[in-house]
Amino acid sequence: MTSPLIVSIGFGAMARSLAASLEKGDSGLHLGGFLVPEHLPNDAPAGMQRWNSVDELIAAKPDLVIECATHEAVRETVPQLLEAGIDVVIVSIGALGDAGTVARIEAAAKTGRARAIAVSGAIGGLDVLRSAKLAGLDSVAYIGRKPPTAWKGTPAEQLLDLPNLKEATVFYEGDAVEAARDYPKNTNVTAAVALAGLGFKDTRVRLIADPAASGNTHELEAKGAFGSFHILLNNKPLPENPKTSWLAALSVEQAVLRHFSSLEV
Ligand SMILES: NC(=O)C1=CN([C@@H]2O[C@H](COP(=O)(O)OP(=O)(O)OC[C@H]3O[C@@H](n4cnc5c(N)ncnc54)[C@H](O)[C@@H]3O)[C@@H](O)[C@H]2O)C=CC1
Ligand SMILES: O=C([O-])CC(=O)C(=O)O
């Protein structure tokens, strides 16, 4: 049997980690290549193909595409793939905070009889949240804590003197609508929590820059008819990108393995 053609959109820290990890594992699966628009740098390593346009990629008939690029790629590229009948794992899921994008993705998936799969990413406990929601949730809160360098290039830079921060400082308190939209490389996890639980408007979010943090910490607290739970993940960052947790890349690999396995656990 020939091995399935698995392709990523984007070839940054996450896709490279996925490619290396699949290669090391014993599933027989590997990343066959990636789609990155022509104007962006990204040489394809030996054994991998690079596609510059979504039409070229569709012509190659991939079995699974993994979006690990940007919110824009979710909006611009994912619907076309779904319409062409190609299943897509979505990693930049903060883009799903926009109702129009969700509607387009759902319609495209229906047209192409394909599936859009949102990864759990750097957070856990979503299985509990999804189940608990069925009996009614009263509150869901997320707290994200990362070292100041991980918040570089985000609105936190305007609010705090990140390089000289001496103590843990809260710079955002609000809902998951704004958090997912305004921190597209740092808080996709808020979208995972919102989608599994109370939705974007009713999910409370607090973001912290902490010079003492050694990694990316994600805290999730939910209360409802089921009872309550509180989890804390202490994630190591990916060496290539301190904004991204290693667990997020592992969750993508897990979604790929699950997609091709006959027993879903
Ligand atoms: N769900 C989650 O828990 C997490 C989600 N993410 C998201 O995953 C995505 C990838 O993360 P990293 O690999 O760490 O980022 P990265 O910045 O290292 O890599 C992004 C890649 O996408 C490419 N790219 C940019 N615009 C593109 C476009 N329009 N079409 C195709 N490719 C494009 C870039 O050239 C680069 O190769 C980001 O959007 C990030 O926010 C990251 C961490 C956790
Ligand atoms: O990887 C993480 O720690 C979380 C992250 O960047 C995101 O949710 O976008």
Side-chain angles (χ1 to χ4, degrees):
M1 208 181 83
T2 55
S3 99
L5 177 57
I6 305 169
V7 173
S8 63
I9 306 176
F11 196 56
M14 185 90 87
R16 284 170 202 273
S17 171
L18 171 69
S21 202
L22 281 177
E23 220 51 60
K24 261 197 254 153
D26 58 7
S27 64
L29 299 172
H30 65 273
L31 194 68
F34 54 86
L35 168 73
V36 171
E38 204 156 11
H39 68 278
L40 293 174
N42 270 145
D43 287 335
M48 263 194 210
Q49 198 170 338
R50 171 180 171 154
W51 288 271
N52 292 322
S53 82
V54 67
D55 289 327
E56 285 172 32
L57 175 59
I58 289 171
K61 297 193 188 321
D63 296 285
L64 182 66
V65 171
I66 299 115
E67 176 288 317
C68 29
T70 60
H71 286 197
E72 188 198 4
V74 175
R75 286 191 294 269
E76 306 295 327
T77 311
V78 170
Q80 203 181 332
L81 292 165
L82 291 167
E83 262 169 26
I86 299 161
D87 291 342
V88 183
V89 171
I90 302 175
V91 180
S92 308
I93 59 170
L96 304 180
D98 174 57
T101 303
V102 174
R104 237 175 317 126
I105 284 178
E106 283 179 339
K110 217 168 164 186
T111 305
R113 293 171 177 256
R115 290 189 72 215
I117 302 141
V119 288
S120 53
I123 193 124
L126 302 178
D127 50 349
V128 180
L129 211 49
R130 276 192 293 268
S131 306
K133 180 183 173 176
L134 300 176
L137 285 164
D138 298 326
S139 66
V140 178
Y142 163 84
I143 302 172
R145 182 185 297 259
K146 294 187 183 187
T149 46
W151 297 109
K152 264 169 68 181
T154 76
E157 250 178 353
Q158 272 75 60
L159 301 168
L160 305 175
D161 179 10
L162 288 174
N164 297 308
L165 204 65
K166 296 283 178 286
E167 57 188 32
T169 310
V170 176
F171 61 87
Y172 176 79
E173 272 203 278
D175 61 27
V177 181
E178 273 183 48
R181 185 193 62 213
D182 296 345
Y183 299 86
K185 290 207 163 278
N186 280 88
T187 58
N188 288 283
V189 283
T190 61
V193 172
L195 291 165
L198 273 181
F200 286 82
K201 275 203 199 83
D202 293 323
T203 300
R204 306 312 302 160
V205 176
R206 182 185 297 173
L207 303 177
I208 303 170
D210 184 353
S214 56
N216 300 334
T217 304
H218 303 288
E219 237 173 300
L220 177 58
E221 192 175 81
K223 295 185 183 131
F226 77 102
S228 65
F229 85 96
H230 178 208
I231 60 162
L232 170 64
L233 285 114
N234 231 321
N235 290 346
K236 291 184 178 160
L238 271 181
E240 275 193 62
N241 186 351
K243 292 179 194 297
T244 293
S245 299
W246 186 19
L247 185 66
L250 294 172
S251 92
V252 179
E253 182 180 3
Q254 182 271 148
V256 172
L257 296 176
R258 219 167 166 202
H259 187 80
F260 292 104
S261 97
S262 6
L263 175 64
E264 207 173 290
V265 183

